[in-house]
Amino acid sequence: MHLDPLILSRLQFVWVIAWHILLPAFTVGVASYIAVLEGLHFWTGKEIYLRVSSFWIRIFSVSFGMGVVSGIIMPFQFGTNWSRFSDATANVIAPLLAYEGLTAFFLEAAFLGVLLFGRKLVPAWAHFVAALMVAFGTLFSSFWILAVNSWMQTPAGFEVVDGRFFPADWWQVIFNPSFPYRLAHTVVGFYVTTGFVVLGVAAWLIRQGKFGPEGRLMLSTTLWLLLFLVPLQIVLGDLHGSNTLRYQPAKLAAIEGRYDTTSPVPLTLFGIPDDKAAVMHNEIAIPWLGSLVLTHSLDGEIKGLKEWPADQRPPVGPPFFAFRIMVGCGLMMLALVLWGTVLRRRERYVQSVAFLCCCQAASMLGFVAVLAGWTTTEVGRQPWTIYGLMRTADSVTPSLTGWNVLLTLIGYVLVYLVIFPGGGLVMARIIRKGPIGLDNAAIESGRPAQPVEALPGTLIEATTS
Amino acid sequence: MSYVQSFVPIWTAILAIGVFLYVLLDGFDLGVGILYGFAQDTRARNLVMNSIAPVWDGNETWLILGGVALMAAFPLAFVIIIPAVYFPVAIMLLALVFRGVAFEFRFRDAAHRTFWDHGFFYGSIIATFAQGIVLGAFIQGFKVDGRQFVGTSLDCFTPFSLLTGVALVFGYALLGSGWLILKLESGLQAEARRHGRWALAGVLACTGAVSVWTPMAQAQIAERWFSWPNVALLLPIPVITLALAWLVWRSLNRSTSSFGPFLGTVGLFLMSYLGIAISLWPMIVPYRYTLWEAASSPKAQAFLLVGTLLLLPIILLYTSWSYWVFRGKVRADLGYH
């Protein structure tokens, strides 16, 4: 049986990054949320902010730990499975990755300990600063990692010597053409993802009836935020799309499911792509709309995939469908947020069971959108690791055999199937207990006395009931 | 290319310090994880784990920095060495996953506590063993053709690398016991001292074996250590190492000495580290590429150097602060009121 190390390495990368991306998608937003809540508590002194903040800190600590361990795996993938890619690009991308470590990971890690265990050990302002630093760390991390990713999509500021990439202008490397759009679109996407998780949890708490004030606080503030962020995200997505049209036209053609260059372009709502025959079957399309959305004019031309040789075309299926899933999520989010805003009159949004149930149902919508968006942009980049310059097939480590990769892939699959559902259950348990106030376990303990022993339910319940 | 000449020494120093800090910092908390498996009861396990809960994450960050700084400053070494140690790296990463999540999961998931307890212990010991195999494979060198590793992914598993794996398990356990002696009191501290003595015995046996085996297997290394006048100049290293080992042994046995075991072990690690560095200098891909040959372009090195020189002191400053916040003994009696 022949096992292809390239396909298996790609599968492995998809597996480890698809799980990993879910965590920053949540922790970037919730770190900022915690910093805001800590700030509000610091300045107003109101207990409720402290309760809500401690609640989210507990959830954050679990997701952050999972983010760290699954994140450490990522840079090593470049070496273990993609050594030829690393050899070609290290001079350009590795300094950026190192800056991520220097500016983000240390900041997060050092201040996380204080945030989780140090509330009684440091002055209140220092605890607030720790929360801020953790939040900044997550944002710096996004900055650098998206700079690397964007450079792979729209490389700039480099020169090629003997088939390897060298930096020519660092400003152009970092602020490459797609970077500002990708950064904005991704970070806002992360905030929106967190926002919908908060919305769902708040709705559940309100419906339980035990934590009404806390739930209402979360629901109200988050709904205002989302009313601003969701439309902003749609605008950013449109800008990002225009950027893709300009710099990665083949990806855009795949997203739109266009094999033939046409003008005006209809907007394909649905279809079954057939890459071999280069046709779209069972297409449902709205005339003119494609041109309008993509080029902002009624007769704008969009290049079809046939403009490129067959071996330089991305597959159409994944980007085509993933993009539609992402946009679908976005539209559902917009509808829910607008509905909630209408219900704000006379406080109906905390009473409407239908609305609260929809919030709960929508709590994971952001993750679906993030994964779909990521699939769109990464599969759409194929068959290249560096768009137009280096092929994925030429990037894989030459010494690997299929069996090598299969073994590690099985390892990653098994471990992640224990860890991620395990983490999900742990977080669900924290949510079920609700914002019960300070985590005594973590705080009353002097020097890190007892944070880790759970005090199995009994004690915590005894002190809170 | 004269710039390269000037950046390479400083990057070598930064990387050397970074890797050493990683070995010390994650070394002691991996070692604590190894000793965790020998803790007698739940209360002991709580205290042992709590002694590193607020700081382990920062310690592990040095691993990422080591990996990406190697890729940034000496990319050729990164792209040859990492594929050559494909399995140990993957095993280490998976073990670190288990160990890392155990901190939170054990605390929040009382129903499966035993499972996460095992995850923490086995994760720590397997990650350490895998790192030791990487070290052994590194000392033995790799099959290289041009800019690529051309051996197989199983080459790194040799009797020698298995021995360095075991050596590192004892070494980290010794560091961990030094840390626990600092953070624990009375009975548990005595327990840590007892574990420390076992670990020290293991360290000495393994280090001795590695020190004899290495020059026997690698003619260049034998030449470096035993040719005149090197043999006289380098004599202080084994002498100081033995003196430190004696000091650690003595402080492990004296209940008044809290800092002795940890500091002495740091000294032992420093000596072993120096020994390896002297053996391999100036190679970064042993016996094949020097630091200068493996270096990235001056533009890449300079760009990262600016930020590193600025940020590293700040990082050390706030990391020290976070250690300071959690200073002192871990105590159980301060728990719940």
Side-chain angles (χ1 to χ4, degrees):
Chain A
M1 173 180 167
H2 176 70
L3 291 169
D4 182 6
L6 172 65
I7 298 290
L8 289 165
S9 290
R10 289 181 66 183
L11 273 178
Q12 180 168 303
F13 201 82
V14 166
W15 177 259
V16 292
I17 205 172
W19 285 106
H20 176 68
I21 201 175
L22 299 175
L23 295 159
F26 176 64
T27 52
V28 168
V30 87
S32 296
Y33 188 45
I34 288 168
V36 169
L37 289 166
E38 288 291 323
L40 286 169
H41 173 64
F42 181 68
W43 271 292
T44 67
K46 282 187 188 162
E47 278 297 308
I48 187 165
Y49 294 124
L50 183 66
R51 280 200 301 279
V52 174
S53 176
S54 306
F55 174 65
W56 285 104
I57 286 175
R58 284 197 285 278
I59 297 167
F60 177 72
S61 68
V62 176
S63 58
F64 190 85
M66 291 163 66
V68 169
V69 294
S70 62
I72 289 177
I73 288 174
M74 299 311 308
F76 283 97
Q77 295 294 313
F78 290 132
T80 52
N81 293 70
W82 304 100
S83 74
R84 277 198 287 179
F85 166 78
S86 301
D87 188 31
T89 61
N91 280 278
V92 177
I93 67 167
L96 310 185
L97 293 171
Y99 268 118
E100 187 194 17
L102 288 169
T103 57
F105 295 151
F106 281 109
L107 202 63
E108 292 167 357
F111 287 98
L112 181 78
V114 177
L115 180 68
L116 297 188
F117 304 114
R119 198 190 287 277
K120 287 278 171 74
L121 303 179
V122 298
W125 64 266
H127 193 258
F128 169 54
V129 168
L132 264 185
M133 291 300 122
V134 172
F136 281 134
T138 62
L139 290 170
F140 293 156
S141 179
S142 309
F143 177 92
W144 292 110
I145 212 72
L146 288 167
V148 172
N149 183 277
S150 299
W151 185 83
M152 291 164 67
Q153 305 273 359
T154 53
F158 65 92
E159 55 195 10
V160 180
V161 183
D162 295 338
R164 292 191 295 138
F165 296 79
F166 288 91
D169 180 336
W170 282 110
W171 184 266
Q172 285 182 29
V173 166
I174 296 169
F175 293 94
N176 59 75
S178 66
F179 175 62
Y181 301 96
R182 192 181 313 278
L183 179 67
H185 192 51
T186 309
V187 169
V188 173
F190 286 178
Y191 277 156
V192 168
T193 300
T194 309
F196 275 85
V197 173
V198 175
L199 219 54
V201 169
W204 185 81
L205 290 174
I206 292 170
R207 285 187 54 226
Q208 292 304 301
K210 247 167 93 182
F211 299 102
E214 291 86 352
R216 192 189 167 285
L217 172 75
M218 294 180 209
L219 194 68
S220 170
T221 48
T222 310
L223 211 48
W224 283 127
L225 183 72
L226 288 173
L227 183 63
F228 168 69
L229 286 184
V230 173
L232 174 68
Q233 178 70 338
I234 292 171
V235 173
L236 288 171
D238 177 62
L239 292 172
H240 193 17
S242 303
N243 182 268
T244 306
L245 171 65
R246 187 164 161 204
Y247 291 97
Q248 297 181 292
K251 179 197 281 188
L252 192 98
I255 290 172
E256 294 302 317
R258 304 246 64 85
Y259 291 100
D260 297 290
T261 302
T262 41
S263 121
V265 190
L267 186 76
T268 305
L269 294 180
F270 182 80
I272 309 286
D274 180 345
D275 285 345
K276 274 219 177 86
V279 287
M280 189 64 91
H281 301 294
N282 306 72
E283 187 172 351
I284 305 169
I286 304 173
W288 308 93
L289 195 58
S291 288
L292 187 65
V293 170
L294 294 163
T295 65
H296 301 179
S297 79
L298 275 179
D299 54 357
E301 181 189 273
I302 297 297
K303 283 206 165 74
L305 280 170
K306 285 178 184 169
E307 301 274 335
W308 287 269
D311 70 341
Q312 292 184 18
R313 297 177 198 162
V316 172
F320 176 80
F321 289 114
F323 180 78
R324 275 145 191 78
I325 291 171
M326 178 184 74
V327 172
C329 288
L331 294 176
M332 280 194 273
M333 287 170 162
L334 183 67
L336 189 67
V337 168
L338 292 176
W339 185 20
T341 307
V342 171
L343 287 179
R344 267 183 191 274
R345 282 171 55 111
R346 289 196 297 269
E347 290 288 294
R348 275 183 303 154
Y349 72 121
V350 288
Q351 292 149 9
S352 160
V353 176
F355 174 69
L356 293 176
C357 285
C358 282
C359 283
Q360 278 180 254
S363 61
M364 295 292 127
L365 217 47
F367 295 107
V368 178
V370 165
L371 279 180
W374 169 74
T375 305
T376 306
T377 199
E378 298 301 303
V379 180
R381 192 193 61 217
Q382 300 302 328
W384 312 99
T385 40
I386 304 163
Y387 193 72
L389 297 168
M390 185 175 193
R391 284 177 180 276
T392 310
D394 298 329
S395 303
V396 77
T397 301
S399 60
L400 287 180
T401 67
W403 286 106
N404 293 162
V405 189
L406 183 66
L407 275 176
T408 54
L409 175 59
I410 291 171
Y412 286 115
V413 169
L414 290 180
V415 169
Y416 280 32
L417 285 181
V418 174
I419 295 303
F420 280 87
L425 285 176
V426 170
M427 286 190 261
R429 182 166 307 167
I430 297 170
I431 293 169
R432 221 172 293 131
K433 280 188 182 149
I436 48 175
L438 293 185
D439 198 341
N440 288 310
I443 296 157
E444 293 287 333
S445 40
R447 309 292 160 211
Q450 196 92 331
V452 173
E453 165 55 39
L455 285 203
T458 52
L459 235 170
I460 289 182
E461 263 129 47
T463 48
T464 50
S465 57
Chain B
M1 276 291 154
S2 63
Y3 284 114
V4 185
Q5 308 293 326
S6 52
F7 288 136
V8 167
I10 187 164
W11 269 111
T12 304
I14 292 172
L15 201 69
I17 293 170
V19 170
F20 189 65
L21 275 176
Y22 170 74
V23 169
L24 281 192
L25 296 173
D26 214 21
F28 84 68
D29 69 41
L30 282 164
V32 166
I34 293 167
L35 297 176
Y36 184 82
F38 299 92
Q40 299 291 341
D41 51 29
T42 308
R43 178 177 163 273
R45 278 193 286 275
N46 294 339
L47 287 171
V48 167
M49 194 182 250
N50 289 347
S51 75
I52 52 170
V55 295
W56 75 274
D57 185 9
N59 297 345
E60 211 160 287
T61 305
W62 291 95
L63 178 65
I64 306 186
L65 191 72
V68 293
L70 181 69
M71 186 178 174
F74 303 104
L76 187 54
F78 181 83
V79 303
I80 291 172
I81 296 172
I82 305 293
V85 289
Y86 185 77
F87 282 116
V89 165
I91 291 167
M92 173 191 78
L93 293 170
L94 291 173
L96 288 177
V97 168
F98 262 101
R99 175 195 134 74
V101 299
F103 286 95
E104 284 294 331
F105 286 17
R106 180 181 177 276
F107 168 37
R108 310 274 179 201
D109 182 12
H112 304 103
R113 177 166 312 150
T114 314
F115 178 78
W116 298 118
D117 278 346
H118 283 116
F120 188 58
F121 167 63
Y122 288 108
S124 301
I125 198 165
I126 291 171
T128 304
F129 185 63
Q131 287 180 10
I133 288 180
V134 171
L135 174 67
F138 181 69
I139 292 173
Q140 288 193 309
F142 311 101
K143 237 186 228 166
V144 178
D145 183 25
R147 303 181 63 85
Q148 289 169 357
F149 169 68
V150 292
T152 76
S153 302
L154 296 175
D155 288 358
C156 56
F157 298 100
T158 64
F160 180 79
S161 71
L162 297 180
L163 174 67
T164 52
V166 174
L168 201 65
V169 169
F170 280 117
Y172 282 1
L174 182 59
L175 265 180
S177 72
W179 180 257
L180 288 179
I181 290 167
L182 274 174
K183 303 298 279 187
L184 300 177
E185 293 170 305
S186 59
L188 290 172
Q189 197 197 56
E191 185 78 1
R193 288 178 186 279
R194 199 170 65 79
H195 291 145
R197 286 192 289 271
W198 278 106
L200 180 60
V203 166
L204 291 177
C206 293
T207 316
V210 171
S211 305
V212 174
W213 194 335
T214 310
M216 276 166 59
Q218 304 291 345
Q220 289 135 299
I221 294 181
E223 166 78 16
R224 168 126 340 146
W225 286 86
F226 301 124
S227 66
W228 187 262
N230 292 11
V231 68
L233 291 172
L234 296 176
L235 191 64
I237 291 194
V239 172
I240 295 173
T241 307
L242 286 173
L244 280 168
W246 179 74
L247 276 173
V248 172
W249 180 262
R250 210 180 59 152
S251 56
L252 279 170
N253 283 302
R254 288 194 177 172
S255 57
T256 50
S257 173
S258 289
F259 281 89
F262 189 73
L263 293 179
T265 308
V266 170
L268 277 178
F269 267 85
L270 186 62
M271 285 295 130
S272 313
Y273 195 67
L274 274 177
I276 295 167
I278 289 167
S279 298
L280 299 179
W281 176 267
M283 297 292 167
I284 181 85
V285 182
Y287 324 117
R288 185 58 202 258
Y289 287 114
T290 65
L291 289 155
W292 281 264
E293 289 163 339
S296 53
S297 77
K299 216 163 184 164
Q301 291 206 334
F303 171 66
L304 187 57
L305 190 61
V306 176
T308 306
L309 292 181
L310 189 77
L311 291 165
L312 216 48
I314 301 174
I315 289 169
L316 290 173
L317 208 67
Y318 63 64
T319 303
S320 315
W321 174 70
S322 86
Y323 269 85
W324 174 251
V325 167
F326 297 103
R327 69 193 175 278
K329 299 284 182 191
V330 189
R331 283 151 62 187
D333 59 305
L334 272 170
Y336 301 88
H337 301 281

